[in-house]
Every structure is written in C-alpha cells, then in structure tokens.
Amino acid sequence: MAETATPSETVNRVRGARRSPAEHLADAFTSGSVPGTVTLTEIPYQAMVGIRVDRTSDAGARVASVTGGLPAACGEVTVAAVADKGSVNTLWLGPTEFLVVAPEEAHDSLGGSLVSDLTTALGSDAGQVVDLSANRTTFELTGSHARAVLEKTCSLDLHPRVFKAGTAVSTELAHIPVMLWKTSDEGYRIFPRASFADFLGRWLLDAMREYASPEVP
C-alpha cells in the first residue's frame, strides 16, 4: 500500500516542482545590480487573488474582513497583518476590482487559506474571486536610480510629489501592461504577467546598465 505524504512533504513537493517566470535571469539580475544605486530582483510565488465586489456592500465588508480592508480610490493600497496570512496587501484596480497580494504561505496549496477564505466571504453575492497566483510575478526595483530607470519608459509622472510611497497604479513599462507599486521612497514593485517576465526583465536590465556603476553620482 502506498504511503500517504504528510502535509509538509506535499508542500515541499509543490515548492520543488515550481519554476518562477524569471528564475533563469537571477544571475543576470545580480550581476546587473549595484546595491544602493539600482537593484533588480524577482519575488516569486506570491499569492495573488483577483476580486470583484462592491466594497460598500455586505459582501464587500466580509471580504474586507479577510484582507484587512479594501482600497477606496485609484492608487490606494491597504496593507494589513492578517493572522496566519502574513502581510496582506490589496491594490485598487477599479471601483469594484482589486488585487490581493500576500506571501506564498497564504496560498491554499501551501497550507494557507487565502483563496478559500475570500471565496467563502463573497458567498453567493454578486462578485468574483479568482486565484491569479500563477498569472503574474513580482519584480522589485530599488535604489537611488530606480525612478530614473522607470522614467525611460513609463508615461506616468513618477516624481515623489505626485507618485508617493504607498501608491499603486496600472500602467505600461516597455509597452508591457503592469501594476506599479511604490513601496518606499526608493523602492518599487512591478507586477507583469508571467508570459512577459522574460522580456520585461531583460528590458529593465538594459535600462539599468548606464547606472550600474559605482561611479554614478
């Protein structure tokens, strides 16, 4: 009779079988980065869930109780520490559309319950909960020249007077649709679809090249 895998063994098998969309670029990201000036890394496997719900409805209130809140306006991000899910971030995509981003451990396949909790919270009310974890990856661009790299292709005004830390918007980088989240004064998280990760990763590396030198003022 075949032995049944323990939950921890199952989690380890899931983790071992995965390959992130930009894993093959990891060495290039490292060699093309200069800490403090401009650094590019991939944060793979984050749990991501797309939600459609009226935030002012009863269903919206129930969903908000799982995420720690739902943003009310364009660019707004709610950040909450939710028990057993770590830091849960919810990005505004539209008046009734949101993207929930959480650590990989929050995903149901790794012992978490984020997707099922959101599905239960929505119940039979109007709306939608979709697991998008495999749909996107996350790039993190940091350093004193991170904004200059983005400004080579982004049409948004990224000056800190306008694009403040804690703001996330839908935009394009190198003609690739992304979510761009400014996480700190010199830090950005970029969410491209997995199929565009290779192209955008290589484009960012090329855009970083002139800054990737300790001599840059």
Side-chain angles (χ1 to χ4, degrees), residues 11 22 24 40 59 61 66 73 88 114 117 135 150 171 177 209 211 213 217:
V11 167
H24 59 293
L40 178 62
V66 175
V88 176
L114 179 63
D117 287 350
N135 180 254
L150 295 174
T171 186
R209 190 170 300 167
Y211 307 111
S213 168

Side-chain angles (χ1 to χ4, degrees), residues 116-156:
S116 57
D117 287 350
L118 288 169
T119 301
T120 299
L122 180 63
S124 59
D125 287 15
Q128 190 176 50
V129 173
V130 181
D131 182 2
L132 299 175
S133 302
N135 180 254
R136 298 175 185 262
T137 192
T138 305
F139 290 152
E140 186 162 56
L141 189 70
T142 61
S144 59
H145 286 70
R147 176 163 67 98
V149 169
L150 295 174
E151 286 176 335
K152 291 185 176 186
T153 182
C154 186
S155 62
L156 296 177

Side-chain angles (χ1 to χ4, degrees), residues 170-203:
S170 297
T171 186
E172 288 189 355
L173 298 180
H175 305 294
I176 300 300
V178 300
M179 284 297 297
L180 179 63
W181 175 18
K182 187 174 183 180
T183 55
S184 66
D185 289 343
E186 295 185 350
Y188 302 83
R189 289 194 177 180
I190 305 163
F191 302 93
R193 298 192 187 279
S195 57
F196 294 129
D198 177 82
F199 176 85
L200 184 58
R202 294 180 189 277
W203 189 96

Side-chain angles (χ1 to χ4, degrees), residues 46-157:
Q46 292 197 96
M48 300 189 194
V49 185
I51 297 174
R52 288 183 182 271
V53 69
D54 179 353
R55 62 182 301 277
T56 65
S57 66
D58 290 342
R62 295 194 301 270
V63 168
S65 71
V66 175
T67 63
L70 292 175
C74 179
E76 189 174 313
V77 179
T78 60
V79 180
V82 179
D84 301 325
K85 298 178 183 64
S87 177
V88 176
N89 310 289
T90 307
L91 286 59
W92 191 95
L93 299 181
T96 60
E97 185 176 5
F98 312 92
L99 178 67
V100 180
V101 182
E104 59 175 325
E105 293 81 4
H107 195 274
D108 299 47
S109 65
L110 295 175
S113 59
L114 179 63
V115 180
S116 57
D117 287 350
L118 288 169
T119 301
T120 299
L122 180 63
S124 59
D125 287 15
Q128 190 176 50
V129 173
V130 181
D131 182 2
L132 299 175
S133 302
N135 180 254
R136 298 175 185 262
T137 192
T138 305
F139 290 152
E140 186 162 56
L141 189 70
T142 61
S144 59
H145 286 70
R147 176 163 67 98
V149 169
L150 295 174
E151 286 176 335
K152 291 185 176 186
T153 182
C154 186
S155 62
L156 296 177
D157 184 351

